[in-house]
Amino acid sequence: MSKIIAVTSGKGGTGKSTVCAGLGYTLAKQGHRTLLIELDFGLRCLDIMFGVEDNIKYDLGDVLSGRKSALDAVAQVPMATNLNLLCAPKTLTSVSAEQIVEICRSVKKYFEYIIIDTGAGINSHVFDIVEQANLILVVSTPDPVCIRDASLMSDEFYNRGNKSQRLIINKISKKVIGDALVANLDEIIDKVGVQLIGVIPDDFKMTVATGKGTPIPTDSSALKAFDAISKRLGGEFVPLTVKTS
Ligand SMILES: Nc1ncnc2c1ncn2[C@@H]1O[C@H](COP(=O)(O)OP(=O)(O)OP(=O)(O)O)[C@@H](O)[C@H]1O
Ligand SMILES: [Mg+2]
């Protein structure tokens, strides 16, 4: 039975797609058959993050229109055996929570982890889709607007009965949150109100890769942090270490 994980945030640009790419890659490297489903319609990016933009023959649009089965539209990512991708269509296409559930149902026997990149925004569409997940990963950066939006989003999940949530604090650096790192992280966790599963450093290699449109750098400090989170997802105890510049 696969574990369905929805990656979400209140504010846009917090790093949801980066988190999906990082977790997908590290879970696959750890030997787990992993599928990333990208719901950021019209804003496809995971194909570029894995350097496979020229290899994508089909996407979710083909599945929603009935031209292809979900499994047929899945592309294998050469960067990591076990890593698979179902890309968002390049154009805006409407999708219902029921359709996503049906897609997950049709492929879940083939994958241990299904990770859904929900796209940004507090709207009912995202809530309906996220409700189908076994675990919600709320991504926030340390800035106050992002923290408040993450808290609002998470409260709404709790109100709807979604208690299985974990927080990822992304793009942390001493420059932004100061030298009293642990105390400041504690304050962020308190404000968002969700148990922490990991912190990701602000990693210049990651920014450069996005800027150049090259694949995610596998030797980056961010990837090490994703590796730890992936192990925690599997129930392994990995102590929190925070390396920032
Ligand atoms: N840990 C990190 N270190 C450095 N840069 C990062 C990190 N995480 C994300 N970024 C950068 O932040 C930008 C936004 O990241 P990303 O596209 O993953 O966010 P998103 O939440 O998916 O955005 P959207 O809401 O538009 O879908 C990108 O330029 C990405 O490279
Ligand atoms: Mg995104």
Side-chain angles (χ1 to χ4, degrees):
M1 186 81 161
S2 55
K3 191 169 189 176
I4 301 175
I5 300 173
V7 177
T8 189
S9 70
K11 191 169 171 280
T14 58
K16 293 174 297 300
S17 301
T18 305
V19 166
C20 288
L23 292 182
Y25 177 81
T26 51
L27 281 167
K29 279 286 181 189
Q30 288 165 20
H32 302 292
R33 279 171 288 116
T34 304
L35 172 65
L36 301 182
I37 301 182
E38 185 178 39
L39 293 187
D40 222 349
F41 288 12
L43 297 166
R44 184 199 274 196
C45 67
L46 290 176
D47 55 343
I48 293 180
M49 285 180 163
F50 291 119
V52 293
E53 64 269 39
D54 296 332
N55 307 0
I56 302 296
K57 286 202 196 109
Y58 308 110
D59 59 39
L60 263 176
D62 297 296
V63 182
L64 294 170
S65 68
R67 282 191 295 274
K68 285 284 158 193
S69 72
L71 199 59
D72 283 345
V74 167
Q76 208 273 319
V77 178
M79 267 175 84
T81 322
N82 292 320
L83 182 56
N84 301 275
L85 179 60
L86 183 47
C87 278
K90 284 183 182 155
T91 53
L92 289 172
T93 313
S94 64
V95 63
S96 66
E98 290 73 32
Q99 285 171 308
I100 295 302
V101 175
E102 179 51 31
I103 288 170
C104 290
R105 194 202 54 74
S106 71
V107 296
K108 70 182 181 187
K109 69 174 174 217
Y110 303 102
F111 303 101
E112 287 166 75
Y113 286 95
I114 296 179
I115 301 180
I116 302 177
D117 184 353
T118 62
I122 302 185
N123 58 47
S124 60
H125 172 79
V126 169
F127 282 118
D128 288 345
I129 289 167
V130 167
E131 238 154 49
Q132 313 304 326
N134 306 108
L135 176 68
I136 300 167
L137 293 178
V138 178
V139 182
S140 180
T141 61
D143 72 86
V145 174
C146 203
I147 292 169
R148 191 180 52 199
D149 288 353
S151 167
L152 289 172
M153 186 99 179
S154 159
D155 285 350
E156 188 60 32
F157 291 139
Y158 282 124
N159 291 340
R160 288 166 175 248
N162 258 308
K163 293 186 175 41
S164 193
Q165 302 180 44
R166 290 291 180 273
L167 172 66
I168 293 181
I169 307 175
N170 188 27
K171 299 193 202 182
I172 62 158
S173 70
K174 279 192 186 144
K175 260 183 272 169
V176 174
I177 67 170
D179 284 332
L181 216 52
V182 174
N184 292 333
L185 287 178
D186 271 349
E187 201 182 318
I188 296 172
I189 298 162
D190 279 353
K191 283 186 179 156
V192 180
V194 175
Q195 192 183 330
L196 186 73
I197 191 165
V199 295
I200 312 293
D202 193 336
D203 185 335
F204 189 59
K205 284 186 181 175
M206 216 43 121
T207 319
V208 171
T210 308
K212 288 187 171 169
T214 51
I216 53 164
T218 53
D219 60 345
S220 61
S221 55
L223 253 283
K224 283 202 184 78
F226 284 124
D227 187 62
I229 295 177
S230 289
K231 287 177 177 151
R232 291 182 196 121
L233 286 173
E236 203 175 311
F237 174 73
V238 185
L240 186 73
T241 49
V242 187
K243 279 207 179 119
T244 58
S245 50

